[in-house]
Amino acid sequence: MTGSKRNNTPTKTWMYMGRGAAVLLATSLGFGCQNNATKPEQGTSTAAKKPVVELPPFEAAATPERVADGAKLVETFECSRCHDGTELKPAPLNKHCVHCHQEIHAGTFDQADAATQAEWKANIIHLTRVPELAGTARFRRSWLATFLQAPHDLRPGLDAEMPRLKLEPAQAEAVAAFLVPAAEQTPEVDWAAADTRHGKLLLKHKGCMTCHKFSGAGELPAGELAVPVDEATLRQGTRMAPDLRFTRDRMRPSALLTWLQDPQKLKPTTLMPDFDLSPTQARDIAAFLLTTKLEAVDPPAIPERLPVLTRPVHYPEVEAKVFKKICWHCHSDPDYALGDGGPGNTGGFGFHPRYLNLASYEGISSGFVNDKGERESVFKKLPDGTPRVVAQMMARYAEVAGQPVDGLRGMPMGLPPMTLEEIQLVDTWISQGRPR
Ligand code: HEC
Ligand code: HEC
Ligand code: HEC
Ligand code: HEC
């Protein structure tokens, strides 16, 4: 689906030579492209077998005003509480979701003793690594603006996702301009000579699929890694490797070619190994990544919620298994957490304060502040009878499936959905009148 969007526009086919980014369109032979009504009109006899190049809109340099707006918005939306590398100073440790978790994992967090850190470490799973926002000029600005408004899972090995923030389209475009200020480069490459079958073979011979998935592209054997990769890099690299399905939308073709030949040139800290690919090998792999037919991939199913339990459920159980397991890390008690109640309480990530404290019975009972500035109960029944807080946890499943629910932000924000049993527990507790 991702790849087909672009093919909706009537295509003129070009042998790529001139300015602008190149998108390869597979022709009818072998690559099964949906839009093959237009046949290449090229002189060479092999032309029909070769991928043909379409010129998508060339991305010119962003205006300095836009870039400056974007820089401000990156600060307002506190991107540096999770991401490094934005050229802005990182959030302080007591607000930095990733740095604090990393320090605790490394045992270097100086505000707690070793035993406490060891105990915490065992509990911290999420937000210990997020992609660094360095070398972002490799992305297509248009993709970035879309992704920021409707983020989806890019890395199958990474459990946290980019949170769905409240960025207006113009704001997302400004942030994208800040991250991708430059004009697109023109790749000097003879796409017409590209051999996608060779590109596909190389993925196997170099062992690319050891770390990557390429969903919808059919069977691609893992092969054996062609360069030595130490165990730690392999583990983290597998976690951080994007699904190559999105690459054709994400990356500027010129940057893709550079990336394949020398990833560290674009992003010095990347875990992607340098395979020392030749320009020809890079071109063939790029041609395969850009043109191979992608089957539709079923999104994860949106489950039904479970019926309430018949056994009694009291607050300590819901607190331990839900609210204090996950929720209070963003909805905490500001008195406990040095004045910062987290983005879901005292505000953050560009959200106004909702003053929702999920760290105590009293906090939960006093609800949140809605858009009108009034206190609203999180237990309030929605028109279908579902208590709001339960609906919001179910809405996270819908978000993960790419179908966000209007007016209900999925919780926990940007993290895997709570299990159906955990949601059932909250549901049961509310249905029983929320006993202490
Ligand atoms: C709560 C933490 C968090 C915050 C805050 C956050 N992000 Fe992210 N972001 C993530 C995670 C996690 C991913 C990885 C998602 C994936 O790979 O599926 C991500 C991915 C991205 C990516 C894709 C990068 C790549 O290499 O694939 C971009 C771009 C991005 N975020 C930009 C932003 C911007 C801009 C902001 C601020 C407006 C922001 N993020 C705020 C957690 C966060
Ligand atoms: C000052 C350090 C610190 C900061 C800052 C911090 N955390 Fe944590 N976080 C912790 C500790 C410590 C734990 C483990 C607590 C425990 O064991 O009960 C934890 C646990 C978690 C958990 C539950 C365990 C897991 O991995 O699922 C989540 C979710 C979480 N944090 C999210 C966040 C988010 C989101 C932010 C940024 C808004 C954040 N944290 C900022 C220290 C921090
Ligand atoms: C050790 C694991 C590992 C191996 C092996 C590996 N990669 Fe990667 N690759 C990564 C990681 C991690 C990233 C994400 C880089 C980042 O954001 O820093 C990446 C990024 C990419 C990207 C950019 C995708 C995007 O949408 O952003 C492409 C293309 C790519 N790799 C192709 C390949 C090819 C081709 C091979 C084999 C020649 C290969 N990779 C082998 C880990 C790996
Ligand atoms: C990563 C941070 C984060 C985590 C974890 C998180 N929340 Fe939130 N939550 C927020 C933010 C930010 C808002 C404000 C959203 C807005 O203003 O639209 C919010 C708002 C809410 C609201 C108020 C209604 C609304 O949409 O504004 C409820 C209810 C809520 N969260 C419940 C939960 C529950 C239940 C959990 C645990 C299952 C949870 N949250 C975990 C960040 C988080």
Side-chain angles (χ1 to χ4, degrees):
M1 297 237 299
T2 322
S4 64
K5 243 184 277 157
R6 239 187 226 155
N7 301 348
N8 294 338
T9 44
T11 51
K12 268 192 258 157
T13 49
W14 307 72
M15 260 246 300
Y16 183 71
M17 286 293 168
R19 287 167 52 78
V23 167
L24 299 168
L25 273 190
T27 58
S28 50
L29 281 185
F31 311 113
C33 176
Q34 302 92 321
N35 187 353
N36 50 25
T38 40
K39 280 261 167 150
E41 289 164 31
Q42 287 159 6
T44 58
S45 58
T46 52
K49 285 188 195 145
K50 298 296 181 192
V52 182
V53 174
E54 181 204 12
L55 297 179
F58 177 81
E59 293 190 331
T63 63
E65 296 76 31
R66 269 243 155 129
V67 174
D69 284 351
K72 275 187 231 132
L73 288 165
V74 163
E75 223 161 315
T76 311
F77 283 85
E78 300 186 316
C79 313
S80 64
R81 285 179 80 166
C82 290
H83 292 286
D84 283 335
T86 48
E87 290 176 32
L88 297 165
K89 66 176 190 322
L93 188 60
N94 68 333
K95 290 187 96 180
H96 203 303
C97 311
V98 179
H99 285 181
C100 190
H101 290 180
Q102 285 174 337
E103 287 209 3
I104 292 166
H105 266 235
T108 56
F109 182 62
D110 61 13
Q111 292 166 43
D113 60 40
T116 313
Q117 287 191 69
E119 196 185 306
W120 284 341
K121 179 179 169 176
N123 294 336
I124 298 177
I125 304 151
H126 299 106
L127 298 172
T128 55
R129 198 184 262 275
V130 306
E132 193 192 349
L133 295 185
T136 48
R138 69 187 185 282
F139 294 130
R140 287 175 57 80
R141 200 183 296 128
S142 54
W143 170 78
L144 203 46
T146 310
F147 174 75
L148 291 173
Q149 290 168 82
H152 59 85
D153 190 20
L154 293 167
R155 292 174 170 77
L158 188 68
D159 39 20
E161 289 181 13
M162 170 67 199
R164 200 160 66 92
L165 304 178
K166 206 175 174 180
L167 279 158
E168 299 299 330
Q171 293 178 315
E173 273 161 31
V175 172
F178 169 69
L179 293 174
V180 191
E184 214 165 329
Q185 301 267 311
T186 303
E188 296 298 327
V189 61
D190 181 7
W191 289 109
D195 181 346
T196 53
R197 245 175 312 178
H198 181 233
K200 183 178 178 179
L201 268 179
L202 281 168
L203 289 187
K204 179 179 164 198
H205 290 153
K206 298 292 174 186
C208 310
M209 308 317 286
T210 316
C211 292
H212 286 282
K213 284 206 165 60
F214 191 2
S215 52
E219 212 44 54
L220 291 166
E224 221 165 279
L225 276 172
V227 294
V229 177
D230 66 75
E231 206 194 302
T233 308
L234 191 60
R235 196 167 5 122
Q236 293 301 335
T238 309
R239 204 173 159 204
M240 297 308 287
D243 187 334
L244 297 174
R245 178 182 184 81
F246 307 113
T247 301
R248 58 182 69 183
D249 285 342
R250 261 158 74 79
M251 279 183 101
R252 291 176 160 182
S254 53
L256 176 59
L257 289 162
T258 309
W259 180 273
L260 291 171
Q261 289 169 78
D262 187 357
Q264 282 70 24
K265 186 173 174 190
L266 296 185
K267 186 175 179 182
T269 56
T270 186
L271 293 167
M272 161 99 179
D274 184 352
F275 286 85
D276 210 13
L277 298 177
S278 70
T280 307
Q281 290 175 320
R283 179 201 62 196
D284 289 351
I285 292 177
F288 177 69
L289 296 179
L290 293 172
T291 66
T292 194
K293 186 185 178 193
L294 294 181
E295 298 294 340
V297 173
D298 288 336
I302 305 174
E304 291 288 323
R305 78 189 216 261
L306 301 175
V308 293
L309 297 164
T310 47
R311 70 168 174 88
V313 174
H314 291 90
Y315 180 66
E317 189 180 0
V318 252
E319 176 181 69
K321 292 186 180 163
V322 180
F323 297 131
K324 278 209 171 168
K325 183 173 156 210
I326 297 285
C327 314
W328 81 311
H329 295 284
C330 286
H331 295 272
S332 61
D333 181 347
D335 294 337
Y336 174 81
L338 306 169
D340 182 24
N345 185 344
T346 43
F349 304 164
F351 291 101
H352 290 301
R354 292 292 185 188
Y355 300 112
L356 174 58
N357 171 359
L358 293 178
S360 68
Y361 187 91
E362 290 71 22
I364 296 169
S365 305
S366 68
F368 69 101
V369 172
N370 65 19
D371 289 336
K372 289 184 222 137
E374 297 156 357
R375 279 265 162 203
E376 188 172 317
S377 169
V378 299
F379 309 120
K380 190 167 121 179
K381 288 205 161 99
L382 299 181
D384 74 347
T386 315
R388 181 177 175 119
V389 65
V390 171
Q392 273 184 268
M393 288 190 279
M394 290 305 295
R396 184 68 196 128
Y397 279 103
E399 278 182 8
V400 169
Q403 295 171 48
V405 183
D406 220 15
L408 278 186
R409 212 166 280 280
M411 293 291 154
M413 182 177 283
L415 296 172
M418 304 304 290
T419 66
L420 291 175
E421 289 73 19
E422 288 162 343
I423 297 173
Q424 177 188 45
L425 210 58
V426 176
D427 211 358
T428 305
W429 173 66
I430 295 170
S431 76
Q432 292 176 1
R434 309 190 305 272
R436 282 192 184 255

